[in-house]
Amino acid sequence: MITAMITDNKPTKVMVGLMGVLLLAAILIRYAEPIKDGDLFFHLAYGKSIVESGKLIPDHTVYSWTDASGDHMYCAWIGQVLLHAVHQIGGFPLLFFLRYLGLFLVLGLIAVLYKQTRFPDPFLFLLMILVTAIGSYSGVFLKPEMFSMVFMAIMSYVYFQAKFQVYGQRSYPLLLLLPLLFLIWINTHGVWMFGMIILTILVAGEVVNLYAGSSTNRSPVLVRYLLIAYGITLPVLLINPFGIKYALNPVFRIIQVFVPASESAGNVAGVENIYAYGHIFKTFHDPNMHIITIWGIMVVLAVFAAAVHWKKQQRPDWALLLLNLALAILFARYMRANYYWGPFWCMSLMLWMSKEKQGFSFLGLPGRWGALLERAGISLVFMALSLLAIYKSIFTPYLNSWLGFGLNNWAPVDESRFLKEQSSGNRLFNSYKSGAYLIYDLFPDYKVFIDARRFPYDQVFSDYHAFQNGKIRLDAFLDKYPFDVALIDYDQRKVFLEFFNSKEWIPVFYGATGVIYQKIQLQQERELHDYPLSRFDRINNLVQANRVLTAALNFKGQSAAVYIFNRMKTRFKHIRGYAGIARQAKLKIEGLNAYNNHEYDMAYLLLSQSDDRTVVPVTQALLNLRIMRCRQFYVEKKYDQALGMVEDNLRVLPDHPNFLYAAGAIAYAAQARSSGYRAKAQTYMKQLLSKYPNHPRAALARDVLGNRPGMSLPLGL
């Protein structure tokens, strides 16, 4: 037997063993990352509330001071209590162990079926396991969704063990475990709805197989037990804190798909701006490109395997065909739904190929060498994917992540501590990302503006995103939402500038996550730069370090900027992109030091290579340095260089009246050298008069436009 010859020889066993080690390394390293999703923290708060109050329906409105709806049906009490219990017992380290445990349970169920069905190709099996492990990324976040990932795998195993009859006729009664699974699932996490849709597709597909499938795909006993399990599951779904209304939620969700107007404006705005609800083709950069690659491999393998099976059986297995088609579309449509497909995909491939045990070649390559060539190709793809996963985890971690554990920089640990200890305000504005941690750490002392729950908020979400995008100014936003303290994340660039440029707000603290602003009339106990620099030791991501360094320079905290820069050099040298970011950071720090020490030539040499407009002191210094150089060039009658300095400033402040006048004056002085300068002089003077007709030098501008000769114009700078 060709397959036996290939899989039983010693070199093959060694290769499979090495691939197994690489698989384990890829999984352990890929998922060695901090808590990325802020959802965990509101789930911990909900779990604590449920345990303390004994009520399975927490009050959604108590955590925020903005308008929040308590009507939304959110049922995850089992998952929330479990997470709370694990956190109480072992803290965050035990939660990280739970994350690995959930993923290995999923892969373990796939491996059990592999052993039971004697799947013919260990190389392809290891590739399938790797693809499933990496492709299930969105299901390995620490929140109740992780349990849904496990439940998907359990449902898949229960169905396929009956399909394979791994326990003979005893396999079919195991389908009657599905009602118990859904009883737990509906009270653990909302993805039970998709679980029911998947189960419905399986039942419908098996019924179709009875009438339109091949003889090997027809199983009246399987259909009978599936129908019994399905029939019991439907009334079981009523056993939840909300009763029949929650059980019918999938129907309402389907209506919302076809009637979008039934979804509130705030929730639509929230969904559209949340990465997890986007499709995988939204951008062709990481992490999407990695997910697109995984999706492509899954589609190609599924199509080949289904085609081989279809060709042999003459008719398709409609249940598997419909299921894999639906899950492939769902995988591509919602980043958050990536983990649904993996277990079903693996087990479908096993069934489609289980009939090909003798001399099986996935691509149909003939003979022993064909099979060897195929396995070599599979091994190369496996190694490329696993090494890529390891490389990305170490050298190109996803946004706000790193190789290691802990809380990521969306969790405002030090900022929250400051609010508890020193802030004088009590109405807090915060971001969507930081809100859940603030609930976890500050409630009931503080109530949040908004948080990662999304579902209690409607109009608040619309206004929040408009403010984020600069469509609502700070004063108008404050009229509607009168807060007196604000925590601004570093990536909220437009919001940051609103506060930075405001004369009514001052920064009182900044840490690894964001900046705290207070109303200027509120008292503060310490100066902005009086806090220990060790607070920046929580920064473990290069991009975040650069953001915090930018903020430190904006606040003229040179010592903080140097501290963060030194942390960059010791912590992030191996990260891709370090050289460019570190070079720019050094230019800005040294350039501003030179400027403050009146070393203007050196300052210009350094800062002109940066010209980072996100750092206001750099922009201001460059504006002043160009004015100095312009004056010098004008006196020396180096009009080209002088005009270049002013035009560089006009790129920053295109409507600045003194820059418009100076550009016109320099061009007028140089017009004897070239007719082009005359046109420039008139253009700049026209802009000046159109925007500032009462400018002190408006008369001189009109003289230039009137072609008055022989004037000696002052530079005006």
Side-chain angles (χ1 to χ4, degrees):
M1 307 299 183
I2 293 175
T3 303
M5 290 168 60
I6 294 172
T7 56
D8 289 343
N9 65 72
K10 188 174 180 180
T12 298
K13 289 182 177 179
V14 171
M15 185 63 186
V16 169
L18 291 174
M19 289 172 67
V21 172
L22 188 56
L23 171 67
L24 182 62
I27 294 172
L28 292 177
I29 292 173
R30 177 66 192 86
Y31 289 103
E33 61 179 8
I35 293 171
K36 290 193 64 177
D37 198 307
D39 290 11
L40 169 67
F41 300 109
F42 83 73
H43 286 299
L44 291 176
Y46 272 33
K48 179 181 179 182
S49 171
I50 292 167
V51 170
E52 292 179 351
S53 69
K55 297 179 181 179
L56 300 184
I57 305 177
D59 185 352
H60 302 318
T61 66
V62 299
Y63 297 103
S64 60
W65 60 269
T66 50
D67 291 337
S69 170
D71 299 333
H72 185 85
M73 294 180 295
Y74 193 87
C75 183
W77 66 270
I78 291 179
Q80 290 162 341
V81 169
L82 278 173
L83 289 172
H84 171 68
V86 171
H87 182 253
Q88 289 295 107
I89 294 169
F92 291 112
L94 191 57
L95 284 171
F96 289 122
F97 173 79
L98 182 67
R99 184 168 69 184
Y100 278 119
L101 179 63
L103 180 60
F104 280 111
L105 281 174
V106 171
L107 302 180
L109 285 171
I110 299 170
V112 167
L113 193 68
Y114 164 74
K115 280 290 189 182
Q116 291 173 330
T117 59
R118 298 181 180 179
F119 184 69
D121 192 336
F123 291 84
L124 185 57
F125 168 72
L126 289 173
L127 177 61
M128 289 156 51
I129 286 288
L130 177 65
V131 167
T132 300
I134 298 175
S136 298
Y137 181 73
S138 62
V140 192
F141 284 20
L142 274 170
K143 54 183 177 179
E145 194 150 17
M146 180 176 59
F147 301 121
S148 283
M149 178 184 67
V150 176
F151 295 155
M152 283 284 185
I154 293 173
M155 181 169 66
S156 181
Y157 177 79
V158 169
Y159 168 71
F160 277 96
Q161 65 81 31
K163 190 95 166 166
F164 277 106
Q165 296 184 52
V166 296
Y167 304 110
Q169 291 299 311
R170 291 178 300 165
S171 297
Y172 297 120
L174 289 178
L175 290 168
L176 300 181
L177 292 174
L178 290 176
L180 176 60
L181 174 67
F182 275 93
L183 173 62
I184 299 170
W185 199 346
I186 195 172
N187 289 283
T188 302
H189 187 248
V191 169
W192 72 268
M193 301 176 201
F194 288 98
M196 273 305 297
I197 292 171
I198 290 169
L199 182 58
T200 302
I201 291 173
L202 289 175
V203 172
E206 291 297 346
V207 171
V208 173
N209 278 340
L210 281 180
Y211 300 99
S214 67
S215 58
T216 56
N217 293 331
R218 296 174 193 157
S219 177
V221 180
L222 175 63
V223 172
R224 183 165 66 250
Y225 273 96
L226 270 176
L227 287 172
I228 293 171
Y230 192 79
I232 298 173
T233 299
L234 291 176
V236 163
L237 295 177
L238 300 176
I239 306 174
N240 70 81
F242 299 97
I244 189 171
K245 192 173 181 181
Y246 187 58
L248 291 175
N249 216 16
V251 178
F252 301 141
R253 292 292 182 183
I254 292 171
I255 291 172
Q256 287 175 352
V257 170
F258 293 101
V259 188
S262 62
E263 184 76 22
S264 66
N267 278 333
V268 169
V271 168
E272 288 177 348
N273 285 277
I274 297 173
Y275 174 79
Y277 293 102
H279 55 79
I280 64 174
F281 304 106
K282 192 170 185 179
T283 175
F284 290 96
H285 300 288
D286 281 338
N288 289 52
M289 271 308 298
H290 204 189
I291 294 298
I292 292 170
T293 302
I294 294 296
W295 182 81
I297 292 172
M298 294 176 76
V299 168
V300 168
L301 289 178
V303 169
F304 269 103
V308 169
H309 184 267
W310 192 336
K311 183 178 179 181
K312 294 290 185 182
Q313 303 297 324
Q314 300 300 313
R315 294 183 182 183
D317 186 318
W318 291 104
L320 299 191
L321 190 66
L322 293 173
L323 176 66
N324 281 276
L325 178 62
L327 291 178
I329 294 171
L330 201 59
F331 185 112
R333 177 58 187 86
Y334 295 108
M335 291 291 294
R336 188 169 182 171
N338 296 162
Y339 66 89
Y340 300 0
W341 193 17
F344 290 99
W345 174 77
C346 276
M347 296 180 189
S348 296
L349 291 186
M350 290 182 199
L351 190 140
W352 278 327
M353 292 186 248
S354 63
K355 310 298 183 184
E356 311 298 329
K357 294 179 182 178
Q358 301 300 322
F360 171 73
S361 172
F362 185 67
L363 298 176
L365 300 176
R368 183 172 184 270
W369 290 107
L372 284 172
L373 182 62
E374 180 178 304
R375 280 152 180 73
I378 291 172
S379 300
L380 287 174
V381 173
F382 174 90
M383 287 188 286
L385 276 179
S386 53
L387 292 174
L388 182 63
I390 293 171
Y391 173 84
K392 285 181 174 294
S393 297
I394 298 173
F395 298 104
T396 61
Y398 291 166
L399 182 65
N400 212 18
S401 184
W402 56 84
L403 180 62
F405 301 100
L407 307 185
N408 77 0
N409 294 132
W410 288 351
V413 176
D414 294 312
E415 294 81 356
S416 181
R417 185 182 300 115
F418 174 88
L419 290 169
K420 281 189 286 189
E421 295 174 356
Q422 299 190 43
S423 177
S424 302
N426 52 32
R427 280 203 158 199
L428 172 65
F429 171 79
N430 61 274
S431 73
Y432 168 86
K433 292 181 296 187
S434 65
Y437 181 84
L438 296 172
I439 288 175
Y440 159 82
D441 197 45
L442 292 182
F443 183 81
D445 296 331
Y446 274 89
K447 294 189 176 185
V448 299
F449 174 83
I450 205 167
D451 64 85
R453 289 177 296 167
R454 184 181 63 81
F455 52 80
Y457 306 102
D458 186 5
Q459 186 59 43
V460 175
F461 241 116
S462 296
D463 293 339
Y464 169 76
H465 285 293
F467 185 44
Q468 287 267 93
N469 297 325
K471 296 178 181 178
I472 299 179
R473 301 303 300 271
L474 178 57
D475 290 343
F477 196 68
L478 278 166
D479 287 341
K480 192 168 186 178
Y481 303 104
F483 50 86
D484 48 29
V485 60
L487 170 56
I488 312 301
D489 296 351
Y490 292 116
D491 59 352
Q492 293 180 287
R493 182 62 191 164
K494 292 182 179 178
V495 175
F496 174 83
L497 288 175
E498 287 282 336
F499 283 90
F500 186 83
N501 294 323
S502 173
K503 295 181 180 179
E504 298 179 2
W505 293 82
I506 56 169
V508 293
F509 181 84
Y510 64 107
T513 298
V515 185
I516 295 176
Y517 275 90
Q518 284 185 180
K519 286 285 187 70
I520 200 165
Q521 61 265 30
L522 296 177
Q523 289 186 344
Q524 53 178 327
E525 297 179 11
R526 300 166 69 176
E527 293 296 323
L528 180 63
H529 302 300
D530 286 349
Y531 299 94
L533 296 175
S534 58
R535 68 190 188 273
F536 300 120
D537 291 344
R538 284 196 64 247
I539 304 171
N540 291 303
N541 180 276
L542 176 62
V543 173
Q544 186 71 2
N546 192 46
R547 289 170 176 165
V548 184
L549 186 145
T550 297
L553 291 175
N554 274 316
F555 297 137
K556 300 181 180 179
Q558 290 294 102
S559 58
V562 170
Y563 187 90
I564 297 165
F565 178 62
N566 288 332
R567 181 164 178 78
M568 276 187 184
K569 291 191 291 184
T570 58
R571 179 73 175 79
F572 306 124
K573 276 190 175 181
H574 66 287
I575 301 295
R576 191 174 70 182
Y578 163 80
I581 291 176
R583 178 180 179 275
Q584 286 295 309
K586 185 177 181 180
L587 287 171
K588 287 179 282 192
I589 292 171
E590 293 183 354
L592 287 174
N593 280 337
Y595 180 78
N596 293 331
N597 292 328
H598 309 293
E599 300 170 3
Y600 297 127
D601 288 339
M602 177 59 70
Y604 181 77
L605 177 65
L606 295 169
L607 295 180
S608 61
Q609 298 178 66
S610 173
D611 196 8
D612 184 352
R613 296 184 190 177
T614 64
V615 181
V616 175
V618 169
T619 301
Q620 291 173 337
L622 276 171
L623 289 171
N624 292 334
L625 289 167
R626 292 190 192 112
I627 290 172
M628 295 178 196
R629 294 171 72 82
C630 178
R631 290 170 181 162
Q632 180 181 345
F633 290 140
Y634 191 67
V635 170
E636 296 172 356
K637 298 185 179 181
K638 296 178 180 178
Y639 298 128
D640 286 344
Q641 294 95 319
L643 185 58
M645 292 293 105
V646 178
E647 288 181 333
D648 283 345
N649 278 0
L650 281 170
R651 292 187 184 94
V652 181
L653 300 172
D655 295 329
H656 194 285
N658 291 344
F659 295 159
L660 287 171
Y661 169 79
I666 296 168
Y668 175 83
Q671 66 181 344
R673 301 182 180 182
S674 170
S675 59
Y677 284 110
R678 181 179 302 170
K680 277 194 172 187
Q682 295 201 350
T683 298
Y684 285 122
M685 292 307 188
K686 283 179 182 178
Q687 290 182 36
L688 174 69
L689 292 174
S690 66
K691 297 177 184 298
Y692 310 100
N694 298 319
H695 189 271
R697 291 186 171 83
L700 293 175
R702 293 188 183 94
D703 287 341
V704 171
L705 292 177
N707 294 317
R708 180 179 172 183
M711 291 189 297
S712 178
L713 299 180
L715 182 58
L717 293 176

